[in-house]
Amino acid sequence: MSADEPAMQLDTGIRSHNYYRNAVEKHWDPHEVDLEADREGAAELSEPAFEGLKQSLALFGAGEESVTEDLAPLAVVLEDINDQMFLTTQLYEESKHTDFFDRYWREVIHAEEKRRGQELSSPTDEKWYNEPYDELFERNEQAMARLLEDDTPENRARAHCHYHLTIEGILAQTGYYGLTLAYGENEPELPDLPGLVEGLKLVRSDEGRHVGFGMAKLKSLVGDGEVEPDLLRETVDELVPLVQESLAGDGGASSESGPGPSPSELADYAYTKHEQRMQQITSASEKIPDVEELTELEN
């Protein structure tokens, strides 16, 4: 063990403990988000926009459920008690996110379908998902499960790249950002859905903390010389096309000609944020933002 290793371990332990405390202090209840105005706003959606909203909610609800199921192997292999404490909060928060999307479907989507005289839909219907989406989450599940069979620095790095950098850092954060813009007060062509926006704000705050934890673990692996930075880029680069294909033509509120942020705008947002994170992870002169910064909404 080098002279620098105890200091590095202490620093990462403090950071993980700070993430844990931040999660405790920022606790929220999915059932306390007021959805009354959303039930009224949904009635103003055109039929295509309503279908697009349902597809977006189904994609993200299923994603939250999937990552809730897949995180456990990481909690098994990480030895530090501070890491384990933080991961208990992440598992809990992923469950809350699943709960929020399920509640929104039952109380807003089903209410509007009844008003329109439509058959009640299910967010788990396979019609909402395409093959790239399924493959993205299957690869994530495999990367996490591999830790239980072969816990190497490289496999830990790949697991963090799948889970924290790609699914949470690119797919989820970018999608939530787009929905927030589309159904917030700055999009006049779509009705405001304040309950959805408030829920997404809370989810995004949690996800910022989760992404930061993954970034910190990856920076430690790179800084200690256990993995090469190229491994991170290669892993994410293989997954980005699946993210793009997962969301292409998903029927959401945004399109190149319709209301809300366009796909190209969202792609630019995702690229910029990802490159910032990679620079912070791989550059010895840059630091991971502190937990308060990570949990703030990104402009």
Side-chain angles (χ1 to χ4, degrees):
M1 178 180 291
S2 71
D4 293 336
E5 283 189 50
M8 174 67 75
Q9 291 171 356
L10 178 62
D11 178 68
T12 56
I14 291 173
R15 181 179 288 273
S16 294
H17 184 75
N18 289 343
Y19 289 160
Y20 164 78
R21 284 303 313 165
N22 185 269
V24 171
E25 293 163 6
K26 291 184 177 294
H27 169 80
W28 59 281
D29 184 346
H31 286 253
E32 290 182 353
V33 179
D34 187 356
L35 301 181
E36 185 61 35
D38 291 50
R39 286 188 279 271
E40 298 176 3
E44 301 176 28
L45 289 168
S46 67
E47 193 58 37
F50 185 47
E51 286 298 306
L53 174 63
K54 287 193 284 187
Q55 181 149 34
S56 295
L57 293 174
L59 288 171
F60 294 119
E64 294 292 352
E65 181 176 344
S66 178
V67 295
T68 302
E69 297 170 343
D70 296 339
L71 183 61
L74 192 60
V76 172
V77 300
L78 290 178
E79 304 90 351
D80 188 272
I81 183 61
N82 293 294
D83 290 342
Q84 294 170 354
M85 289 171 66
F86 170 73
L87 285 172
T88 64
T89 68
Q90 182 168 351
L91 276 166
Y92 172 54
E93 287 166 352
E94 303 294 8
S95 299
K96 286 199 303 183
H97 302 170
T98 300
D99 187 12
F100 173 74
F101 285 108
D102 178 70
R103 179 189 172 218
Y104 199 92
W105 199 280
R106 288 183 288 102
E107 297 187 16
V108 178
I109 299 302
H110 278 173
E112 180 57 21
E113 287 175 334
K114 289 178 182 178
R115 193 193 69 81
R116 298 187 185 205
Q118 299 174 349
E119 181 180 350
L120 297 187
S121 61
S122 169
T124 62
D125 193 312
E126 292 185 0
K127 71 178 182 179
W128 305 118
Y129 318 114
N130 59 22
E131 290 185 9
Y133 180 92
D134 290 337
E135 182 176 349
L136 180 66
F137 282 92
E138 286 173 6
R139 290 195 190 186
N140 179 66
E141 180 181 7
Q142 293 166 2
M144 300 299 288
R146 192 175 299 119
L147 294 174
L148 301 178
E149 304 169 357
D150 189 18
D151 179 22
T152 65
E154 291 82 2
N155 283 340
R156 286 196 186 190
R158 292 186 182 97
H160 286 301
C161 285
H162 277 77
Y163 194 109
H164 294 103
L165 288 195
T166 305
I167 288 181
E168 291 195 307
I170 300 178
L171 177 67
Q173 287 283 45
T174 303
Y176 295 151
Y177 170 77
L179 281 179
T180 300
L181 291 184
Y183 292 103
E185 296 179 355
N186 60 334
E187 179 48 72
E189 296 184 52
L190 290 169
D192 293 346
L193 300 177
L196 177 61
V197 171
E198 174 64 18
L200 292 175
K201 175 182 177 181
L202 293 165
V203 170
R204 291 174 67 196
S205 178
D206 291 344
E207 299 287 9
R209 187 187 310 111
H210 303 168
V211 172
F213 174 80
M215 291 172 63
K217 303 309 290 185
L218 286 167
K219 189 172 184 72
S220 178
L221 288 169
V222 171
D224 290 347
E226 295 186 87
V227 299
E228 293 296 325
D230 284 349
L231 174 66
L232 278 55
R233 291 193 177 275
E234 290 169 1
T235 302
V236 176
D237 285 350
E238 288 180 3
L239 299 172
V240 166
L242 293 176
V243 173
Q244 295 171 330
E245 293 173 36
S246 295
L247 299 178
D250 69 350
S254 63
S255 67
E256 292 291 357
S257 59
S262 69
S264 59
E265 289 171 332
L266 292 180
D268 289 344
Y269 172 86
Y271 176 80
T272 299
K273 292 299 179 184
H274 175 62
E275 285 302 309
Q276 288 174 349
R277 293 178 185 130
M278 288 300 298
Q279 183 68 17
Q280 291 161 350
I281 291 169
T282 59
S283 173
S285 63
E286 294 206 25
K287 294 183 178 180
I288 307 296
D290 65 37
V291 67
E292 290 295 337
E293 292 178 275
L294 288 165
T295 55
E296 290 178 357
L297 283 178
E298 300 172 347
N299 294 323

